[in-house]
Amino acid sequence: MKKTVLVVLALTAAIAFTACAKKAPPAPPPPPPPVAPEAPPPAPPPPPRPEVAPVVDEYARLKSMSAEEIEKSGLLKEVFFDFDKAEIREQDRPTLSQNADALKRFDFLRITVEGHCDERGTVEYNLALGERRARAAHDYLVSLGVPADRLKTVSYGKEVPACTQSGEECWQRNRRSHFTVTGKTK
C-alpha cells in the first residue's frame, strides 16, 4: 500500500506542477475565410433632365412681343452718314442688307426710318438733310425687297441727338438713320 500511496502522491504532485506551469498563449484565431469581392455598386441614376422650354420659332416669339420690346431688342441697326451728306456709305450697305433681311423675314413689322443730323447748321437745313437721309435709307430697303407700305420716314434734324458733346466723334454718332419699330401689320 505504501507503493500505491507513493504513486498517488507522485501523480498528484505531477498534476499540481503541471497546473502551476505557465500556460502557452492561446493560438491566434484562424483568419476569416476570404470574402468574395462585392459587386460594384449600381451606377447612380442619370440626373433629371432639365425642363426644356417649348421651342418657339423666332417669328412667333417676335410676333408675340410688343413693338417697344422688339425695338429694344436691337433687331434693326443704325446706319451713319458723312458730314453734310445723305448718300448711303459703302460700309453701311451690309447693315441695311441685314435690316432688309429681318424686315422681309418678320413681315408683320411696320418701321419708321428716322433721319438725324449733328448740331451744326440751322434747324431748317438739318430737318431737310435728315429727311434726305431717312429717304435714302428707305429707298435702299425698298430696293432690297422690303414693301414700301410698311415703311415711313421722319426727320428729326438735330433735335434728337444720340450724343450731346461737341466734337467730331459725337457728331458722327448723330449723323444717322435710326429704324424704329412702330407697329405690326398682322
Side-chain angles (χ1 to χ4, degrees):
M1 181 151 151
K2 237 182 178 189
K3 230 181 184 186
T4 321
V5 171
L6 268 180
V7 170
V8 171
L9 208 53
L11 278 174
T12 308
I15 291 175
F17 282 123
T18 58
C20 291
K22 241 184 173 179
K23 294 187 182 186
V35 178
E38 290 184 29
R49 297 181 86 186
E51 288 197 29
V52 178
V55 176
V56 177
D57 68 11
E58 194 174 8
Y59 187 91
R61 185 180 65 80
L62 254 65
K63 190 151 182 140
S64 70
M65 295 169 67
S66 71
E68 294 80 23
E69 290 172 319
I70 297 169
E71 171 69 23
K72 289 178 184 175
S73 75
L75 177 67
L76 303 172
K77 307 292 185 221
E78 295 180 326
V79 293
F80 299 92
F81 295 88
D82 292 327
F83 175 69
D84 203 28
K85 303 282 186 205
E87 293 81 29
I88 303 297
R89 301 182 311 176
E90 194 61 40
Q91 67 257 35
D92 288 309
R93 291 176 190 271
T95 301
L96 283 172
S97 181
Q98 289 172 352
N99 287 354
D101 290 343
L103 291 171
K104 289 186 283 188
R105 188 171 58 243
F106 304 114
D107 58 355
F108 55 87
L109 295 177
R110 287 192 176 278
I111 304 298
T112 298
V113 182
E114 302 173 357
H116 296 271
C117 301
D118 61 35
E119 65 187 32
R120 298 173 290 180
T122 65
V123 171
E124 296 80 17
Y125 181 81
N126 282 329
L127 283 172
L129 179 58
E131 181 60 36
R132 291 194 310 272
R133 288 175 175 170
R135 179 55 58 188
H138 170 280
D139 292 347
Y140 196 83
L141 291 174
V142 170
S143 76
L144 294 174
V146 178
D149 65 343
R150 292 178 37 221
L151 305 172
K152 70 177 187 173
T153 62
V154 67
S155 174
Y156 289 112
K158 62 181 178 179
E159 302 307 313
V160 185
C163 178
T164 57
Q165 299 168 353
S166 290
E168 185 54 43
E169 184 178 318
C170 183
W171 293 333
Q172 176 59 55
R173 289 176 46 205
N174 289 332
R175 296 189 302 258
R176 70 193 190 284
S177 277
H178 179 80
F179 303 90
T180 303
V181 178
T182 52
K184 300 177 183 179
T185 60
K186 300 177 187 176

